[in-house]
Amino acid sequence: PSLSRMAKQSRHKAKAASILNISEDELRLTEQAGRGHIRIDDDELSAAFDFFDVDGKGRLTAKDLHNRLSTFYPNLPAKDVKALITEPVFTKEVLRRLLENNHLGGFDPVKQAFAVYDPHNTGYVDLDTLRHIFTDLGFGEITDEDMTVLIETSDVDGDGKISLEDFRGMLAFGSSKPASHLP
């Protein structure tokens, strides 16, 4: 590849890494080791893609991504979002290829998603953050009663809080796969 293309790829990887909270050094190490890819089945892929494709167009734009990601990452720069759109027409198949061909073998998307709900790194979902996210996603105001039901439903170990493992179980609920098979 040409020097300018390699530089462009390097800038693209650095931008993508900042969104994933992965340092450039970690990204470089995974590339050198040639470690795997993110495994995702058709149902998970469809759920992920449809989450961003709110209008059901079958393709995503940087604006689609920014609208949804800004709920979780309020200070996310638009340039970082644009770096994620790697093709002129970003479809579900493009997303599949991106996930299958990445070099982030050690990346745990469930743990990364959980970190959004645990901004203070306590090991548990922050209830104020959860309320805010539900509201921003258009689910309306979450009452204390709603919150109690959500916690009781999600709290697998019965400690009254939603931990990472509870979160994994919550994501597996309704899936044909047991939670132990999630990353």
Side-chain angles (χ1 to χ4, degrees):
S2 72
L3 188 57
S4 64
R5 182 179 172 134
M6 288 174 26
K8 183 178 178 184
Q9 287 173 337
S10 177
R11 283 192 306 272
H12 171 74
K13 289 176 185 173
K15 289 177 184 176
S18 68
I19 293 171
L20 299 174
N21 289 331
I22 298 170
S23 73
E24 288 184 57
D25 290 337
E26 290 173 307
L27 190 59
R28 202 171 299 111
L29 285 174
T30 59
E31 287 174 346
Q32 291 170 358
R35 295 193 302 213
H37 63 277
I38 297 175
R39 292 166 299 211
I40 187 165
D41 67 26
D42 289 337
D43 291 338
E44 292 168 330
L45 181 70
S46 291
F49 189 84
D50 293 347
F51 176 78
F52 293 103
D53 186 21
V54 176
D55 298 328
K57 301 177 302 239
R59 59 183 169 71
L60 298 177
T61 64
K63 183 179 178 185
D64 296 328
L65 287 180
H66 191 268
N67 286 344
R68 292 301 240 176
L69 288 174
S70 63
T71 297
F72 304 102
Y73 304 99
N75 300 321
L76 183 64
K79 66 181 178 138
D80 285 358
V81 175
K82 288 178 184 174
L84 292 173
I85 300 291
T86 58
E87 302 286 331
V89 179
F90 197 95
T91 64
K92 193 182 304 185
E93 284 309 308
V94 171
L95 177 59
R96 179 187 308 280
R97 284 194 311 271
L98 179 70
L99 293 171
E100 288 175 346
N101 297 321
N102 78 73
H103 299 284
L104 303 174
F107 178 65
D108 182 348
V110 175
K111 187 174 181 180
Q112 184 67 33
F114 181 79
V116 171
Y117 295 92
D118 180 19
H120 308 295
N121 202 25
T122 63
Y124 299 98
V125 169
D126 179 78
L127 300 183
D128 290 334
T129 300
L130 186 62
R131 283 181 202 267
H132 176 73
I133 289 171
F134 269 79
T135 302
D136 285 356
L137 289 174
F139 292 108
E141 186 178 330
I142 305 300
T143 66
D144 289 342
E145 184 179 328
D146 295 333
M147 194 62 73
T148 300
V149 169
L150 183 61
I151 292 169
E152 288 173 356
T153 305
S154 306
D155 181 20
V156 175
D157 59 15
D159 65 357
K161 303 173 193 170
I162 303 172
S163 66
L164 174 58
E165 291 311 309
D166 294 332
F167 190 74
R168 287 184 195 283
M170 196 170 64
L171 294 176
F173 186 77
S175 164
S176 59
K177 294 186 293 187
S180 62
H181 291 153
L182 289 176

